Amino acid sequence: MTRTPIAAGNWKMNGTNAEARALCRGLAGIDAIAGVDVVLSPSFTQLGLVWDFWCGTDVHIAGQNMHTQPSGAYTGEVSPVQLAEVADWVIVGHSERRQFFCEDDQALALKLRTAEMNGLTPILCVGESDAERENKRTANVLTRQVSIALGDDPAPDGLVVAYEPVWAIGTGKAATPDEAQSACTHIRSVLSDKLGEEVADGVRILYGGSVKPDNIADFMAQPDVDGALVGGAALDADAFLAITRAIAASG
């Protein structure tokens, strides 16, 4: 099955509004790159201006997180209803949310369904810690995270999964292409067990973790890697454009 690859940029908690506008201007022409879906994920204070900047183009805008309730007394949170006004995608379960904000698999299962109910395409992030990797528990961790997030329901429409080994996030230490392929293959096998082979074959699986212009081609050469969730390099317009072009060329 042909799967359109994805170049997703997670800006995390970086940049002012002025810097976000400058980054968008630096990415001029990214919407014209054929053969790739582009997703930009700015911080909440930048979402509206980034959404407006790319309005009318094929560039997708993603929230970095969301609450499960449509409204209520949840100071500091953003509801899916609010998010859907300035985004069409959402990142769910990024390793930094799991690590620093104690989000567990059950909470993420609810967020995954909330995204679906509010018309937001979810990017479900999964990945093992350094200790889990050293103890050869990568497959077990990925099986647990994917299985609990999906539950017993059909896959959310357009589901995307991102393999993000915790030990590679922001460290400059990327997985090898073989490691990324092995993990993504395992994720697809779990999806197949839960959803059936046909559905699993259509799910796009990304690699994330110290992705750069000089290593993206090696990741994209792997048959089960369908793009990248890019962190630091997404803040550099030239770097992210180069990554996006390389992802598009892989098809």
Side-chain angles (χ1 to χ4, degrees):
M1 177 179 292
T2 300
R3 299 182 293 265
T4 301
I6 297 171
N10 179 12
W11 298 359
K12 305 190 181 184
M13 194 179 72
N14 290 296
T16 63
N17 284 356
E19 289 168 333
R21 291 188 186 94
L23 182 51
C24 286
R25 289 194 294 270
L27 293 171
I30 199 169
D31 53 316
I33 300 174
V36 60
D37 285 339
V38 176
V39 183
L40 303 178
S41 186
S43 67
F44 284 123
T45 59
Q46 302 162 352
L47 271 171
L49 70 89
V50 175
W51 175 263
D52 289 343
F53 188 97
W54 296 104
C55 182
T57 74
D58 291 331
V59 174
H60 300 286
I61 309 301
Q64 296 178 12
N65 184 37
M66 67 174 181
H67 200 276
T68 57
Q69 295 300 311
S71 63
Y74 302 102
T75 299
E77 290 290 330
V78 173
S79 83
V81 176
Q82 294 169 327
L83 183 59
E85 292 186 318
V86 288
D88 52 351
W89 288 46
V90 63
I91 298 172
V92 176
H94 190 281
S95 63
E96 291 160 357
R97 298 297 311 174
R98 295 176 187 260
Q99 182 178 3
F100 301 126
F101 301 99
C102 304
E103 294 191 358
D104 61 22
D105 294 318
Q106 293 289 356
L108 298 174
L110 185 54
K111 288 191 177 188
L112 203 62
R113 297 305 163 185
T114 299
E116 180 181 29
M117 289 186 294
N118 287 273
L120 296 163
T121 297
I123 300 177
L124 171 66
C125 298
V126 297
E128 80 283 11
S129 68
D130 198 27
E132 290 165 336
R133 177 194 187 205
E134 291 297 322
N135 289 313
K136 302 188 184 305
R137 292 189 48 79
T138 296
N140 291 338
V141 170
L142 296 178
T143 297
R144 185 197 77 233
Q145 291 175 337
V146 173
S147 297
I148 293 177
L150 290 176
D152 296 322
D153 299 321
D157 188 38
L159 172 68
V160 175
V161 180
Y163 169 58
E164 288 206 318
V166 178
W167 49 269
I169 305 301
T171 64
K173 182 171 61 174
T176 67
D178 285 345
E179 287 173 328
Q181 169 61 18
S182 177
C184 292
T185 298
H186 182 76
I187 290 167
R188 202 174 301 283
S189 74
V190 177
L191 292 170
S192 183
D193 290 342
K194 297 285 293 183
L195 306 170
E197 184 176 353
E198 183 176 356
V199 173
D201 282 347
V203 174
R204 291 177 288 181
I205 303 176
L206 315 182
Y207 170 71
S210 300
V211 174
K212 298 178 174 60
D214 60 2
N215 65 16
I216 184 61
D218 291 333
F219 289 116
M220 293 307 301
Q222 308 306 310
D224 282 299
V225 177
D226 303 312
L229 180 55
V230 185
L235 298 170
D236 181 315
D238 289 339
F240 192 65
L241 279 166
I243 289 169
T244 302
R245 293 188 184 102
I247 290 174
S250 69

